[in-house]
Amino acid sequence: MKKTPTVSFRARLFLAFLAAALVPLLICSAMLLQIFRLRMTDAAAEEVQDQLNSALRALDEGYQGFAAAVDALADDPLVLAALTGGGVEDTRVYARLFAATGSARDCARFDLYDREGNWRYSTRTVPAERQLPLNWGALYRAEEGGGLAFTCCEDPADSAAPLLRGAAALSDRAGDRAGYVVVSLYQSDLRQLVEGTYGAQGTLILLSDYWRPVYCAQPSLAVS
C-alpha cells in the first residue's frame, strides 16, 4: 500500500511565507494598475476637453468676425442703396464689401442678395444659386430676426453646397427691407477655421441639433 507523500514542516513553512509575501504584492499590483488606468483615462478626458474648448473658441471667434462684418454692411448706406436699386457703381460696392469682411472672408463666403432674394455681389465667384427662396432656408430664418443665424446643409456629402449657411436681413433707414447678407461655410472653410484645435490622432465632428453630421475632418466618416 502506497503512502501519501507528506510535505515537510520546512516546505510548508516556506510555502506559507511565500503566500504571505505574494498575496499583498498581487493586491498592491492590481491597485497600482487600476490607479494607473484611472489616471490615463482622466488625462485622456482632460486632453479631449481641452481640444473641444479650443475648437469652440475658434468657432466663437469665427462667428464674431462674421457678425462684425454683417454689422458693418448693415450700417453702410452705400451698400443698402445698391441693393435697393440706387444706381451705385459695382466697384464701389465691392470695395465696401471687401473692406467690411476683412480677414473673415478667408474662412467664409459673403454674398449680398436684394430684397427679392436675387444675388448681387460676392467675395468669391458667382454662386450656383443665383436666387434664394424667401419662404424657407437661410433667408426665411433671417426674417425671424436675432442677428446672424446659421442653418446646416441637408447633405454633407454634397461638396458643391455649403455645410453651413447663415443670413442676416438688412434694412434701410426707413425700416424697409433692403436685402440680405449671406455667409456660407464650405468644407475647406471649416477645416481652416478649426485646423490645429484638435490632436493629430483624433478627428473633429460637428453635429446639428438633430445629431446629424454637419462637418467632419474626415468627410468619409461623416457620410458613414
Side-chain angles (χ1 to χ4, degrees):
M1 186 175 181
K2 295 182 179 181
K3 293 183 179 180
T4 303
T6 59
V7 182
S8 64
F9 175 76
R10 179 179 296 179
R12 284 182 290 176
L13 187 62
F14 172 76
L15 292 175
F17 279 114
L18 181 63
L22 287 179
V23 170
L25 181 61
L26 292 175
I27 294 175
C28 290
S29 299
M31 292 179 62
L32 289 175
L33 288 175
Q34 181 70 5
I35 293 173
F36 178 75
R37 186 184 65 83
L38 291 175
R39 287 185 176 179
M40 289 291 293
T41 302
D42 292 340
E46 184 177 353
E47 182 181 1
V48 170
Q49 188 61 52
D50 290 341
Q51 294 176 3
L52 287 175
N53 291 337
S54 179
L56 287 174
R57 283 194 299 270
L59 292 174
D60 287 339
E61 292 174 358
Y63 179 84
Q64 292 173 5
F66 304 150
V70 170
D71 292 339
L73 293 170
D75 294 334
D76 194 324
L78 189 144
V79 172
L80 299 177
L83 293 177
T84 54
V88 183
E89 294 182 0
D90 289 346
T91 54
R92 298 180 62 192
V93 180
Y94 273 111
R96 298 292 182 89
L97 175 60
F98 277 77
T101 53
S103 60
R105 66 176 178 271
D106 295 335
C107 298
R109 173 195 181 105
F110 289 83
D111 295 276
L112 292 175
Y113 287 77
D114 61 18
R115 69 185 69 178
E116 302 298 330
N118 299 310
W119 173 83
R120 298 291 300 277
Y121 307 96
S122 178
T123 57
R124 297 183 184 178
T125 58
V126 178
E129 296 178 288
R130 300 292 295 269
Q131 185 177 25
L132 294 179
L134 301 178
N135 56 351
W136 65 278
L139 301 190
Y140 178 77
R141 182 82 177 270
E143 288 294 338
E144 298 178 355
L148 181 63
F150 280 91
T151 56
C152 60
C153 178
E154 295 182 359
D155 184 10
D158 187 1
S159 59
L163 300 182
L164 288 173
R165 174 178 282 165
L170 304 179
S171 300
D172 56 21
R173 293 182 178 180
D176 298 328
R177 181 69 62 239
Y180 304 88
V181 182
V182 177
V183 184
S184 304
L185 281 80
Y186 295 80
Q187 177 80 19
S188 58
D189 297 324
L190 282 168
R191 181 184 297 112
Q192 181 176 349
L193 193 61
V194 300
E195 189 175 13
T197 60
Y198 55 92
Q201 296 181 349
T203 187
L204 181 68
I205 302 177
L206 179 63
L207 303 176
S208 69
D209 48 357
Y210 295 104
W211 290 88
R212 295 185 60 185
V214 176
Y215 165 80
C216 182
Q218 300 179 12
S220 59
L221 181 60
V223 174
S224 62

